[in-house]
Amino acid sequence: MPVTGVQVERITREGVYGRVAPGARVTLENLSASPYGPLGQRRLHVVHANPGGDFFCPVPVAREGDRVRLVVGDQVSRGAAVRQLLTLRGLAARDERRPEVEVQGLRLVRGADGLARFVNVRRNPAVGEPGVTLRLTNQRTGAQHDLVLDDDGRIPAGAALAAEPGDLFVVAATDGVHNARLGERWSSLCVTDPTQPVDEPSLCLGDRGPSRGTRLASASGPLVKGGIDGDDPLQGAVGDCWLVAAVSAIARMCPERLTEIIRPAGDGRYAVTFKAWDEATGCYVDHVETVTARLPRIAGADFAYGRARDGKRPDTAELWWPLIEKAYAQWKGSYDAIDCGYPYAAFEALLGREGEHLDLDELDADALFAALGRAEAERAPVVLCSRPESDWPRSDRRGLVKDHAYTLLGVYEEGGERWVRLRNPWGEGEPTGGARSDRKDDGVFELRLDDLRAYFCWASVAR
């Protein structure tokens, strides 16, 4: 059957109504809902038009301003399909979803021609929703480069930046509505050069300057003390809650994997083996970073960035977690470059698998409780993320942190009430007002399932 164009007649929160050739196959994907999520979990809704050519196709978690791809015909054979990008309009007065970008999978690698090009080590090559503008500002030169994500949400093909090894680019993002002046920082990227391996990751925290009084100093504590435990990793001055919470979840469910990842390499050095997606072979391959036990410390004493709970003294505290954090920062070129991310990148780097994305707005209470309980039974690491402030349901935040990653410790039902147990990677700070805690100020607390659904937006499950 020859494929003709598509006529969109109406868009609602439930989906898209339109007309195509009678019986034509219609596929729809929301490119704004977790565009950074697992590629293997692409949310494609497929319907067929009726004999009169009318169709209705659901839109997953539709919000005003979302970018949606509509395909009429065969998805596999691009030449046989009509592909159209739609922007959802008329659902609300203002764009409801801020642009989110995933840069933890990106590396800026300098070539022999002096230009730095983007390399993606995640299976999902998308960085954000189509049409989002990224502004990269070189902190050394002040030069600014604007890149517009293509129709697949990727960095434009052939994009390159004039840069030197070690140059740090602060990244800002806008969809034309949110952060329109590009004044709000998202994250950063550091330029690396394979011919000039990074010996130590930069301690500088980008446009915020270096952490005051922080320097690298030797630590002599044991690699592991009493076994690897999910309560060990604590977050420091770097905004890498996504990584800390994911490592905590892995340590809780499969500590043996972390034992395999980090090994002594002799001469006081440690080899940390990550996984990187190789597009050419279609599989994950090993990437090894070798690091020293020189760790960021404040005035030569306390750890400045990640540390283990067992103590602040570098001569006695176990080192497995701060060394993994350092190795990942070294892979990225800078501690600043591991600021702001999503657990999917951590699960891929540490486990070599994408995991599963759960959108809490798409699940009712029963489905969410069952999904979290199933993950717990399967010993699958889980990280949940709280909503951004703009999506907070009311002024009472109950002590929770916005835009923050938490490790799932379990779910249970008691007296007809369903509870979720979480851990804040800060290792302290427990919510009040309806939450329960063990009063140890260790960051562990419990929320009613209804409060979890109100204050949290998604979960990442490493199956």
Side-chain angles (χ1 to χ4, degrees):
M1 175 188 301
V3 177
T4 59
V6 55
Q7 178 183 342
V8 175
E9 297 182 335
R10 185 160 56 101
I11 297 174
T12 69
R13 287 198 183 274
E14 287 65 47
V16 174
Y17 296 81
R19 290 181 60 82
V20 292
R25 184 175 187 266
V26 179
T27 305
L28 188 143
E29 180 180 9
N30 190 340
L31 301 174
S32 297
S34 66
Y36 45 76
L39 183 65
Q41 195 191 347
R42 291 180 63 193
R43 304 295 306 280
L44 303 177
H45 286 260
V46 181
V47 298
H48 287 83
N50 66 21
D54 297 315
F55 75 87
F56 165 74
C57 197
V59 178
V61 289
R63 301 180 72 172
E64 175 71 18
D66 282 358
R67 300 280 280 171
V68 172
R69 177 183 291 126
L70 193 65
V71 179
V72 182
D74 185 3
Q75 274 271 32
V76 177
S77 175
R78 287 182 176 238
V82 174
R83 302 163 65 84
Q84 183 174 343
L85 273 180
L86 305 175
T87 301
L88 302 189
R89 301 295 189 200
L91 305 184
R94 191 174 186 272
D95 191 314
E96 296 177 287
R97 198 190 303 270
R98 65 171 183 171
E100 295 181 296
V101 293
E102 210 313 288
V103 299
Q104 287 305 326
L106 294 180
R107 304 292 182 271
L108 264 181
V109 181
R110 187 177 187 266
D113 59 359
L115 296 177
R117 293 177 173 84
F118 296 88
V119 175
N120 198 326
V121 300
R122 291 192 61 211
R123 186 182 175 197
N124 185 354
V127 175
E129 69 176 1
V132 163
T133 296
L134 302 185
R135 173 165 292 173
L136 288 84
T137 304
N138 189 322
Q139 296 300 282
R140 178 178 62 86
T141 67
Q144 294 184 333
H145 306 265
D146 287 355
L147 302 174
V148 179
L149 301 185
D150 67 16
D151 286 354
D152 293 312
R154 305 182 186 188
I155 297 290
L161 310 175
E164 296 293 330
D167 278 357
L168 192 71
F169 287 85
V170 168
V171 181
T174 182
D175 55 5
V177 176
H178 302 88
N179 197 27
R181 296 184 179 180
L182 290 162
E184 181 182 342
R185 176 188 192 277
W186 182 267
S187 187
S188 64
L189 291 167
C190 187
V191 178
T192 60
D193 186 339
T195 66
Q196 302 179 35
V198 176
D199 184 51
E200 302 281 10
S202 168
L203 299 180
C204 180
L205 295 185
D207 55 345
R208 297 163 290 170
S211 291
R212 182 170 298 175
T214 298
R215 63 182 180 87
L216 287 172
S218 296
S220 56
L223 181 62
V224 178
K225 182 164 60 177
I228 287 177
D229 187 88
D231 199 40
D232 290 341
L234 296 181
Q235 183 180 356
V238 183
D240 61 346
C241 62
W242 62 276
L243 179 61
V244 191
V247 169
S248 175
I250 295 170
R252 177 172 176 264
M253 291 302 194
C254 41
E256 68 284 353
R257 176 60 187 141
L258 294 173
T259 303
E260 296 167 357
I261 285 171
I262 182 167
R263 302 277 191 182
D267 196 27
R269 302 174 76 87
Y270 298 85
V272 182
T273 302
F274 296 111
K275 297 293 183 179
W277 179 257
D278 180 37
E279 190 66 36
T281 60
C283 62
Y284 291 97
V285 297
D286 287 348
H287 174 90
V288 180
E289 291 285 340
T290 302
V291 295
T292 70
R294 285 165 46 82
L295 294 166
R297 288 161 55 189
I298 302 172
D302 294 350
F303 290 101
Y305 298 162
R307 67 174 179 86
R309 176 176 289 283
D310 72 323
K312 297 182 179 181
R313 290 181 51 182
D315 59 335
T316 59
E318 60 183 335
L319 303 179
W320 70 266
W321 155 238
L323 288 174
I324 288 177
E325 181 186 53
K326 178 182 179 180
Y328 192 85
Q330 184 166 291
W331 191 13
K332 294 278 290 184
S334 167
Y335 274 98
D336 188 79
I338 68 175
D339 180 64
C340 189
Y342 297 94
Y344 313 105
F347 288 150
E348 286 188 75
L350 296 167
L351 302 176
R353 55 179 186 263
E354 285 189 293
E356 177 185 1
H357 174 80
L358 300 178
D359 195 313
L360 272 58
D361 290 334
E362 204 174 4
L363 300 173
D364 62 25
D366 292 339
L368 175 59
F369 192 74
L372 297 180
R374 185 166 55 253
E376 180 75 8
E378 295 173 355
R379 298 197 62 76
V382 180
V383 174
L384 290 110
C385 184
S386 58
R387 298 180 187 274
E389 188 172 25
S390 59
D391 288 346
W392 218 269
R394 50 189 180 272
S395 58
D396 172 21
R397 299 180 184 177
R398 307 196 174 208
L400 293 167
V401 183
K402 67 175 183 178
D403 264 343
H404 193 50
Y406 294 80
T407 302
L408 177 71
L409 300 186
V411 296
Y412 67 94
E413 189 167 358
E414 178 182 272
E417 193 90 65
R418 289 180 287 194
W419 293 86
V420 179
R421 189 171 177 83
L422 301 170
R423 177 183 186 263
N424 186 335
W426 294 351
E428 61 184 13
E430 297 159 350
T432 58
R436 304 197 300 196
S437 72
D438 53 17
R439 302 301 178 189
K440 296 179 181 178
D441 194 27
D442 55 3
V444 175
F445 63 95
E446 296 171 350
L447 279 182
R448 291 183 177 86
L449 185 67
D450 288 343
D451 283 334
L452 182 85
R453 295 178 67 221
Y455 289 97
F456 285 72
C457 49
W458 51 258
S460 177
V461 184
R463 296 202 180 280

